[in-house]
Amino acid sequence: MSLLSGAPAAPTHTSQLLEELVAQAPDGPVDLEWLLSYLDKRSFGLLLLLLGLLVIIPGVATIATLALLFPAVEMILGHSAPSFPRFVSKRQFDFKRFKRFTVLVRPMLQAIERFSRPRWDARRDVIDRLVGLVVFLLAFSAGWPLPLVNVIPGMVVVLIAIAYLQEDGLLLAVAMAAALISLFGLGWTLWASFGAVMNWMGL
């Protein structure tokens, strides 16, 4: 599946899609409107990959976390293409920092790709809604004001995006399990913190 062209094809390696997009990026800051101009109606997977990576990067994590909520909701609602409100789409971020980060994560992506292959026969609309729901919950969890709370949800979103792009049902099941563990871990942390505050207050 080629996400940078209109013609259907066999699934392209995620690292290759990422390299193609990074190579087309202009020098200096870019915004999400520029990003959407390079993605077609099947672009949810690549968009989740990019935003998931941005969620991990300090300095752009906050806007990326907010932006991630919008495609997640659109996937849940069954929309065919991502879009953003203007106040989000025109917000610029430093793409040079993202380019440097892709160099670090490329070996990880390529390692996953060596074991990944197309192996699902579920309906695309069902997968879209499921992925959208889980990504929404992960984005919501990444927005909590706790140290490094964004890193694990961002990594899980990246894993989900790779499985989605590779059409790998087994990898998607692993990613969904990782998402549940991440969400459970955050829930337990918040509950334990709430209990500690209540005990400190003597309630």
Side-chain angles (χ1 to χ4, degrees):
M1 177 175 57
S2 175
L3 300 189
L4 301 181
S5 64
T12 305
H13 284 315
T14 303
S15 58
Q16 181 181 338
L17 292 171
L18 190 60
E19 288 174 11
E20 289 175 4
L21 186 68
V22 167
Q24 296 178 58
D27 293 330
V30 300
D31 54 34
L32 293 173
E33 189 171 78
W34 169 84
L35 176 61
L36 290 179
S37 70
Y38 282 91
L39 307 180
D40 69 12
K41 67 180 182 180
R42 295 165 297 175
S43 60
F44 278 116
L46 186 54
L47 181 59
L48 294 182
L49 175 68
L50 293 171
L51 291 177
L53 291 172
L54 287 170
V55 166
I56 303 172
I57 302 175
V60 295
T62 301
I63 184 62
T65 300
L66 174 62
L68 194 56
L69 293 170
F70 292 95
V73 169
E74 290 176 327
M75 293 180 78
I76 294 172
L77 296 177
H79 293 184
S80 60
S83 62
F84 296 95
R86 186 170 179 81
F87 78 93
V88 175
S89 66
K90 299 303 292 183
R91 181 72 177 267
Q92 293 189 329
F93 58 90
D94 184 5
F95 207 73
K96 289 183 178 179
R97 184 182 298 179
F98 179 79
K99 286 182 178 181
R100 293 193 296 269
F101 188 66
T102 59
V103 174
L104 298 177
V105 301
R106 188 175 299 126
M108 178 194 72
L109 296 180
Q110 292 172 338
I112 295 173
E113 289 166 353
R114 283 196 289 270
F115 298 97
S116 178
R117 65 178 186 276
R119 45 188 168 188
W120 77 23
D121 40 5
R123 290 172 50 189
R124 170 66 68 171
D125 59 335
V126 174
I127 295 296
D128 283 356
R129 293 176 190 275
L130 176 62
V131 168
L133 176 60
V134 173
V135 169
F136 179 87
L137 295 174
L138 288 169
F140 183 75
S141 70
W144 284 91
L146 297 173
L148 301 177
V149 73
N150 58 301
V151 174
I152 294 179
M155 293 174 63
V156 176
V157 170
V158 169
L159 188 60
I160 290 173
I162 296 172
Y164 184 87
L165 288 167
Q166 302 288 120
E167 297 185 352
D168 188 340
L170 179 59
L171 182 59
L172 184 60
V174 172
M176 291 300 184
L180 290 177
I181 294 172
S182 173
L183 293 170
F184 177 80
L186 177 64
W188 181 88
T189 300
L190 294 175
W191 178 258
S193 300
F194 177 76
V197 171
M198 296 298 286
N199 288 335
W200 177 78
M201 296 176 64
L203 299 177

